[in-house]
Amino acid sequence: MSQPDPSVLEEIGQLRVALNDANYRYYALDEPTLTDADYDRQLQRLQQLESEYPDQVVPDSPTQRVGSAPTEGFPEVAHAIPMLSLDNAFSRDDIVAFAQRVAERLECQVDDIEFSCEPKLDGAAVSLVYEQGVLVIGATRGDGRTGEGITSNLRTLRSVPLKLVGDELPALVEVRGEVIMRHSGFEALNERAREEGSKVFANPRNAAAGSLRQLDPRITATRPLEFHAYQAARLEPDLGDTTHSALMQRLSKLGFRTSTELTTMRGPEAVADYCDQLGAKRDQLGYDIDGVVIKVNDLRHQRELGFVARAPRWAVAFKFPAQEEVTTLNDVEFQVGRTGAITPVARLEPVTVAGVTVSNATLHNADEIIRLGVMIGDTVAIRRAGDVIPQVVRVDEEKRPADARAITFPDHCPVCGSDIERLEGEAVARCSGGLYCAAQRKEALKHFASRKALDIDGLGEKLIEQLVDQEWVKTPADLFHLSVEQLKSLPRMGEKSATNLVNALEKAKQTTLARFIYALGIREVGEATAANVANHFGTLQALQDADQAALEAVNDVGPIVAKHIHTFFRQPHNLETLQVLIEAGITWQESEVTQGPTPLEGQTWVLTGAMESMTRDEGKARLQALGAKVAGSVSKKTTCLVAGEAAGSKLTKAEQLGVEVIDEATFIDRLTAWERSE
Ligand code: IVH
């Protein structure tokens, strides 16, 4: 046996350190440091060197084990049968070579071997043990021999049966599979994290693994996780199934979700075609897969083939191109969303990620920029998968050039120039331009025209989009200058609808101060707050002049809302827009300023059923103007329930709880009396 060169020994040592470290970060910390492609490349190189110099193989080499030791916090679970890994195939040739190895051992023709193919799910591997049909243990893979007991967490997944289905249940079943998070759930979870300023996950696999390792199962329960079964590690007594595919059907009957993509076929060419087809469909699945697991279908053949050190001989993982690649961050631009949220967007040196050219990726928010520690000029890892927005997942600080620049968050909106607000404790920075900001124009107009705002009949979403796209309407004030002539030239708009719309606009000009304030779309100023503010200040001018302290004196207005209102009225553009709206003819009855506490302050009312003399919204507005809160459901805290015609379950509940119930006539009497006494 030849003694390796010192440089080879050094390379082996370096690869082991790098791979062990990557393993630890990937499995134990859920914080990957290498791209999958890099990891696979380095592992393959180590495998190659170890096969050239078998004397150098040591038991703790990354080629000899899977994952790393479990971290503290969960009980250890020893796997009765080790949870192994799979060898990889990267090409058609690799698939053919695998089939040939199998055929040689089984002494048969490659084209006679039946394979079962299914997606290689990219999530977290877990094992579930059922005794007499009841789930007793759920565990992570850990290092393959010992995992972490996360039974309470796994019990929170609806796709994990707590009890198996059927009459004749095996005494012992151990099912293995993958816990995944779909793209939709992942995006929603990250969106929530962004809003709350908590950590965003780099990919659905990390989100799944991180969610499973929560010490509080109640947190796991809120995460959109799914368990997909792909193996029966133990089944006692054996139910007589002779193939993997039959066993999967059995698992499905016992209550498990198994792959809908599972297909059986003969010969390596058919397998390779399946891999191509699934690869083409990969982006449409709605969840991450990183390849195809190809298994010899016949269970007797599987037993005959057995295992080598870390993987079975009867299976191989065909790996798709990695969804992470490395490139340079050329610049960062700031985009303004439809609600004014400012999102930093990475402009990248174009790079092909899983077959698609990526030149932009999201950096989510200011906190994420700090968490990543990223600078302009940095070498960054980019990830794209299916419908998930490409994102920057890591920075290689060692490759940072001398002229790297820090990313500075703007103070002013890149679209309209208004101040950008970022409140303490909030992760999102927002443009305060509201009605004025072109990026927010369509949303702002929809809100302005909505039922609880100016209630412009016939001005729906579609029409607003057309008006903005035609550039006829830039600010809400422009709405009031639209003519019948102009409108009827729009597709699907006749003379009659155009006239109706112009009339509706005319009618909407006569409004209330509360509706007008609500229509402005100031952040966190809903209809109740708008009513309170209108009631408190009486005039738009008084509201405009109010300082923060004066705003905080309003019922239900805290420091955050006060700051939003204050900032809104400090933007010259907003004042201009207000001016133009008033010039366009919007008017309201100026009301008297309410002094001191309002008569219904501290009370909570609920309205149910239909009333004859007013709509529920009107009743609600009048109650709010008197200082009451109006809730949607009855509880112990409800002061009074107004029951209109055909009141249902709310009435029953109020009666059960002994809450006062009044009819419409009594309600109107009381309202009028209170309104007079104010
Ligand atoms: S079968 C003896 N089937 O891939 C091992 N594994 O590298 C049998 N995986 O961590 C595994 N999808 O969690 C199998 N359909 C599938 C799979 C799958 C994902 C994971 C598995 C393991 C890794 C193996």
Side-chain angles (χ1 to χ4, degrees), residues 12-35 39 42-43 46 60-63 65 67-69 394 398:
I12 290 179
Q14 276 170 355
L15 285 167
R16 282 184 187 149
V17 169
L19 290 166
N20 270 335
D21 184 62
N23 257 346
Y24 169 72
R25 287 176 194 279
Y26 183 113
Y27 288 112
L29 304 183
D30 298 331
E31 278 175 6
T33 45
L34 287 182
T35 64
Y39 184 89
Q42 297 193 29
L43 188 66
L46 182 58
D60 67 350
S61 168
T63 59
R65 66 180 172 89
S68 66
R394 257 186 325 280
E398 282 173 12

Side-chain angles (χ1 to χ4, degrees), residues 325-332 345-351 353 357-363 374 378-383 390-392:
E325 287 300 335
V326 168
T327 187
T328 313
L329 175 64
N330 288 336
D331 201 3
V332 174
V345 177
R347 300 284 179 230
L348 307 162
E349 195 54 39
V351 61
V353 190
T357 306
V358 174
S359 42
N360 300 313
T362 181
L363 283 161
V374 61
D378 268 342
T379 298
V380 291
I382 303 303
R383 180 188 152 82
Q391 50 185 339
V392 175

Side-chain angles (χ1 to χ4, degrees), residues 188-201 223 363-369 371 422 425-428:
L189 180 66
N190 262 2
E191 177 73 37
R192 210 162 67 207
R194 268 199 292 273
E195 292 279 339
E196 288 167 1
S198 46
K199 188 184 144 193
V200 286
F201 288 102
R223 304 284 169 85
L363 283 161
H364 299 296
N365 55 37
D367 284 354
E368 181 68 358
I369 292 178
R371 193 183 74 80
R422 183 176 174 201
E426 264 203 34
V428 221

Side-chain angles (χ1 to χ4, degrees), residues 483-500:
S483 67
V484 174
E485 277 308 298
Q486 208 179 358
L487 286 168
K488 75 180 191 200
S489 71
L490 288 172
R492 286 183 304 282
M493 173 76 82
E495 169 107 28
K496 185 146 186 287
S497 347
T499 314
N500 285 348

Side-chain angles (χ1 to χ4, degrees), residues 27 83-88 118-122 124-126 141 177-178 230-231 290 293 295 307 311-312 314-315 317:
Y27 288 112
M83 288 181 81
L84 297 179
S85 187
L86 292 170
D87 277 336
N88 292 326
E118 64 197 75
K120 183 169 188 303
L121 301 166
D122 200 5
V126 301
R141 180 165 74 162
E178 203 85 352
Y230 56 63
Q231 194 189 16
D290 55 353
V293 181
K295 302 173 187 175
F307 297 82
W314 44 263

Side-chain angles (χ1 to χ4, degrees), residues 15 20-21 26 94 110 177 184 191 197-198 281 287 316 318 425 431 467 479 509 589-590 621 627 650 656 671:
L15 285 167
N20 270 335
D21 184 62
Y26 183 113
D94 288 354
V110 270
S184 51
E191 177 73 37
S198 46
K281 247 171 70 173
Y287 52 87
V316 75
F318 174 79
C431 162
L467 295 172
L479 289 169
K509 285 184 185 170
Q589 196 94 53
E590 301 247 302
K650 286 183 193 161
Q656 277 167 1
L671 270 185

Side-chain angles (χ1 to χ4, degrees), residues 162-355:
L162 298 179
K163 213 168 172 289
L164 298 182
V165 182
D167 296 333
E168 276 177 284
L169 295 178
L172 178 74
V173 184
E174 180 169 352
V175 173
R176 291 183 178 163
E178 203 85 352
V179 171
I180 62 153
M181 195 179 282
R182 285 178 189 275
H183 293 163
S184 51
F186 169 73
E187 285 282 16
L189 180 66
N190 262 2
E191 177 73 37
R192 210 162 67 207
R194 268 199 292 273
E195 292 279 339
E196 288 167 1
S198 46
K199 188 184 144 193
V200 286
F201 288 102
N203 55 50
R205 182 190 60 219
N206 282 11
S211 300
L212 281 181
R213 294 181 67 262
Q214 293 292 325
L215 289 168
D216 182 350
R218 286 170 302 184
I219 299 179
T220 310
T222 66
R223 304 284 169 85
L225 301 170
E226 273 172 31
F227 172 73
H228 294 233
Y230 56 63
Q231 194 189 16
R234 290 188 288 165
L235 195 56
E236 292 167 18
D238 170 357
L239 298 171
D241 296 305
T242 58
T243 60
H244 170 72
S245 50
L247 208 47
M248 289 301 103
Q249 278 171 18
R250 170 85 60 192
L251 289 186
S252 166
K253 288 204 188 91
L254 288 172
F256 295 97
R257 183 190 283 252
T258 55
S259 180
T260 48
E261 309 289 331
L262 186 140
T263 313
T264 57
M265 64 215 71
R266 282 183 201 276
E269 292 303 331
V271 168
D273 290 345
Y274 174 95
C275 293
D276 286 348
Q277 283 152 17
L278 196 66
K281 247 171 70 173
R282 181 186 192 188
D283 275 356
Q284 279 100 55
L285 292 174
Y287 52 87
D288 276 4
I289 64 172
D290 55 353
V292 173
V293 181
I294 305 161
K295 302 173 187 175
V296 171
N297 200 28
D298 189 318
L299 297 176
R300 225 184 34 225
H301 285 161
Q302 286 193 2
R303 280 189 291 274
E304 211 176 311
L305 289 160
F307 297 82
V308 269
R310 62 186 267 280
R313 283 200 193 89
W314 44 263
V316 75
F318 174 79
K319 299 294 273 292
F320 291 144
Q323 288 180 309
E324 274 183 34
E325 287 300 335
V326 168
T327 187
T328 313
L329 175 64
N330 288 336
D331 201 3
V332 174
E333 280 173 20
F334 294 86
Q335 271 177 2
V336 192
R338 296 189 310 165
T339 58
I342 310 284
T343 307
V345 177
R347 300 284 179 230
L348 307 162
E349 195 54 39
V351 61
T352 309
V353 190

